[in-house]
Amino acid sequence: MLEDALSNDKAYLVHIAKCGGTTIREQVFIRKLAIEYDKYSRDLLNIDPTGVDYWKNKISNERHKKWIDLGVIGCHQHTADISEDYRYIITVRNPIKRFVSAYYWKLEALETNAYGENCPEELAMLQAWGSANGLAEALYDDAGNLNDETDQFIQKRWTIYMNHIGMDINYYLGELLDNIGSSQVLGVIAAETLPQDLVRVLGGDPSKVGHKKKNDKYPREISEKAYNNLKSYLEDDYECLRKLDSWGHITDEQRPYLFDDVGVKIEG
């Protein structure tokens, strides 16, 4: 089913930010090029995930050069295209861990001007929160009311570049899952179980997959208050995951990471 979808441009990658999607896109990219340029001698289980340059060099026309940048048909930084023709590969991650990672990604991007962004106001506010934990603790007041200022900061698209904090799992999947059926999902790949999921969904050798982690220099611990706030604030994210689970697309190995928050570091 994957090979047919890739061959006919029906495979659609929903690249949710901070869920390992760059690694996944590269893996899908390699397989698509292998199918296109090595149709008769390929063996998908033996494709070397480090051989991207080899496959890029096989591109012989301008139409296919777009794959170098896009990797595969899909979405990133915008909501998914909805079509009965597409078969979706979906990236996910524990919602709280994704939120924390997105905060530090944006902080570092603005501090280093890594992507040519210059938004002093957004940077000043990020620094004012002090950490992802500080932002999460400010989501609700002591009575449990949502802090509108904090919420608006998270949801605002400050620059022409992406807002990974506010563009969460529900942003990418909410409307999509309301308009497609289970049979249109080729597979769900979680950041926490990435090597195993790549084999299950795409085929390949997990020992050859190298996912580059970023922002490890920043603190990952959150307080119990921040944790509880995020559980409430990200409820729609968890609901999307529950729907995928009800369709049978969340594995036993993925489930504790995604729902029981295994790996979330809570202070205390």
Side-chain angles (χ1 to χ4, degrees):
M1 188 174 181
L2 171 69
E3 183 174 328
D4 176 69
L6 288 173
S7 298
N8 293 289
D9 282 338
K10 292 182 178 179
Y12 190 103
L13 177 62
V14 183
H15 177 178
I16 298 174
K18 310 313 299 174
C19 294
T22 300
T23 298
I24 297 164
R25 186 173 65 224
E26 184 175 87
Q27 298 302 306
V28 175
F29 174 55
I30 292 170
R31 284 154 180 78
K32 184 167 180 61
L33 289 182
I35 288 170
E36 182 68 21
Y37 292 103
D38 198 18
K39 290 181 179 178
Y40 301 104
S41 62
R42 68 181 180 278
D43 177 357
L44 289 180
L45 294 180
N46 291 320
I47 289 175
D48 182 1
T50 65
V52 178
D53 289 337
Y54 170 78
W55 294 107
K56 285 182 179 179
N57 290 334
K58 283 182 171 287
I59 298 176
S60 58
N61 61 62
E62 290 299 321
R63 182 176 72 85
H64 293 154
K65 288 185 183 300
K66 67 180 182 180
W67 290 340
I68 293 178
D69 297 320
L70 300 180
V72 69
I73 296 171
C75 65
H76 184 54
Q77 306 177 47
H78 62 82
T79 55
D81 298 310
I82 300 171
S83 170
E84 62 182 12
D85 293 330
Y86 287 138
R87 297 298 178 263
Y88 295 89
I89 300 168
I90 297 173
T91 69
V92 297
R93 186 180 187 178
N94 175 275
I96 293 176
K97 291 177 66 178
R98 198 213 68 84
F99 180 96
V100 173
S101 179
Y103 175 94
Y104 290 119
W105 182 94
K106 190 64 173 180
L107 177 64
E108 184 172 50
L110 289 172
E111 286 181 334
T112 63
N113 196 30
Y115 300 92
E117 289 193 305
N118 182 24
C119 188
E121 184 183 2
E122 183 184 16
L123 176 58
M125 294 186 72
L126 282 170
Q127 292 172 333
W129 297 121
S131 63
N133 183 75
L135 178 58
E137 285 192 340
L139 280 167
Y140 298 93
D141 63 22
D142 292 339
N145 300 307
L146 181 64
N147 184 321
D148 289 337
E149 180 183 2
T150 307
D151 179 48
Q152 290 169 12
F153 168 78
I154 290 172
Q155 300 303 326
K156 181 175 179 178
R157 188 158 183 154
W158 290 84
T159 65
I160 60 172
Y161 208 62
M162 60 202 78
N163 171 19
H164 285 340
I165 307 174
M167 296 165 73
D168 53 17
I169 293 171
N170 181 64
Y171 170 86
Y172 287 94
L173 295 185
E175 184 179 3
L176 176 67
L177 298 183
D178 286 340
N179 287 278
I180 66 171
S182 173
S183 62
Q184 285 188 253
V185 179
L186 276 175
V188 174
I189 300 175
E192 291 85 353
T193 52
L194 183 62
Q196 302 93 316
D197 291 350
L198 285 171
V199 173
R200 177 176 53 82
V201 178
L202 303 181
D205 183 347
S207 67
K208 295 180 179 180
V209 176
H211 175 51
K212 297 179 180 179
K213 296 183 179 180
K214 302 176 182 179
N215 301 332
D216 286 341
K217 67 181 181 181
Y218 295 106
R220 298 293 168 162
E221 294 78 14
I222 58 173
S223 66
E224 185 175 355
K225 178 181 180 180
Y227 173 83
N228 290 332
N229 283 353
L230 288 172
K231 287 291 285 189
S232 296
Y233 190 73
L234 301 174
E235 169 58 23
D236 288 342
D237 283 15
Y238 285 98
E239 182 57 31
C240 289
L241 295 174
R242 283 192 287 268
K243 178 172 282 192
L244 288 170
D245 193 21
S246 71
W247 286 354
H249 293 298
I250 301 297
T251 68
D252 290 342
E253 187 175 15
Q254 292 171 338
R255 200 170 290 115
Y257 292 103
L258 299 177
F259 296 113
D260 299 333
D261 302 319
V262 170
V264 174
K265 299 178 181 179
I266 302 176
E267 295 175 350

